[in-house]
Structures are given as C-alpha cells and as structure tokens.
C-alpha cells in the first residue's frame, strides 16, 4: 500500500512540476494588456521570484521523492536549470513579443526565488517515517 501511495505522490509531483514549468512559459509570453494594472512598485519582480521559487520547490520535491533523500547536487542542478530557463524566457520575450522586454533584474529575481527555495529544501528536511 505504501509503495502505491509513494508512486502516486511522485507522479502527482512530477505532473505539477511539468505543469508549472509550462504555465510559467505561457504567462511570461502572453499579452496581458486587458487586465487591470497592479500599482505595486516592482510587482513583476515579485512575480518572477514566486515563479522560480515554486519551480525550484516542485522540482526539488520531485527529486527528493525520486531519490529518497535531499541531494545537494540535484538541487544545485535544479537551481541552475531554473536560472537557464529564466534567461531563455527573457530571450524569448525580447525576440518573440512586442509587449515584453528582456530585463536583467527579472533574471536576478528568478535566481533569488530559486535560491530561496533551494535553502528551504536543504534546511527543512522531512522527518524519517517511523
């Protein structure tokens, strides 16, 4: 019974991670001119932080479930992949859209979110099951 639950949890986490990855791409490339503007200074940087924090958290949880432990090397790779993915999206925004522009500060916010999730995954380890 436990193995089946573990497999369901792994598959669900993988599905969420893949879905989130795709959602971030779509939300970063579509035009949102018809939505009400948010009047918070730097609001888009918070959004980038949350996107990559969640990206890293979901992929980190999946890695932990797949490997059965917190693996620093895997988490470091996930942070680097998040950073590369964010840079790719910035490049796509600059080249494929007319309403979005690449921004180095977005990349920094992406990295801050990914690194914060990395720290959380390393610090808050699951308790061994009894």
């Amino acid at each position: 019974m436990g193995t089946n639950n573990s497999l369901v949890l792994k598959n669900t986490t993988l599905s969420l991670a893949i879905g989130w990855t795709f959602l971030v791409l779509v939300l970063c490339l579509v035009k949102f001119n018809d939505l009400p503007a948010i009047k918070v200074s730097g609001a888009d940087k918070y959004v980038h932080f949350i996107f990559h924090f969640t990206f890293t958290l979901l992929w980190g949880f999946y890695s932990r479930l797949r490997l059965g432990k917190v693996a620093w090397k895997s988490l470091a790779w996930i942070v680097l992949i998040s950073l590369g993915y964010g840079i790719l999206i910035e490049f796509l925004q600059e080249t494929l859209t007319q309403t979005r522009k690449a921004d180095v500060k977005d990349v920094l916010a992406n990295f801050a979110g990914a690194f914060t999730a990395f720290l959380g995954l390393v610090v808050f380890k699951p308790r061994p099951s009894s």
Side-chain angles (χ1 to χ4, degrees):
M1 181 81 171
T3 304
N4 190 32
N5 288 343
S6 177
L7 183 60
V8 168
L9 184 58
K10 274 188 223 176
N11 288 339
T12 301
T13 305
L14 177 60
S15 297
L16 288 171
I18 291 169
W20 186 259
T21 301
F22 181 71
L23 181 65
V24 167
L25 178 66
V26 170
L27 292 177
C28 287
L29 295 179
V30 298
K31 183 178 171 182
F32 286 111
N33 288 353
D34 296 334
L35 293 177
I38 299 173
K39 301 293 182 192
V40 176
S41 178
D44 67 317
K45 304 309 176 246
Y46 296 117
V47 170
H48 281 268
F49 180 94
I50 291 167
F51 279 174
H52 287 269
F53 176 85
T54 305
F55 176 97
T56 303
L57 209 58
L58 287 170
W59 284 107
F61 282 149
Y62 174 70
S63 174
R64 181 186 288 171
L65 290 168
R66 191 175 57 80
L67 300 174
K69 64 179 182 173
V70 175
W72 288 73
K73 190 175 181 179
S74 291
L75 293 178
W77 272 108
I78 292 167
V79 170
L80 289 174
I81 290 167
S82 176
L83 181 62
Y85 189 56
I87 291 170
L88 173 65
I89 288 173
E90 290 301 313
F91 174 78
L92 293 174
Q93 285 179 337
E94 185 69 32
T95 57
L96 298 180
T97 71
Q98 294 182 355
T99 58
R100 308 264 179 135
K101 297 293 175 199
D103 185 353
V104 172
K105 291 179 184 175
D106 287 348
V107 174
L108 294 175
N110 297 345
F111 179 71
F115 189 71
T116 302
F118 169 84
L119 291 176
L121 287 163
V122 169
V123 170
F124 300 106
K125 297 176 186 172
R127 294 181 186 167
S129 38
S130 45

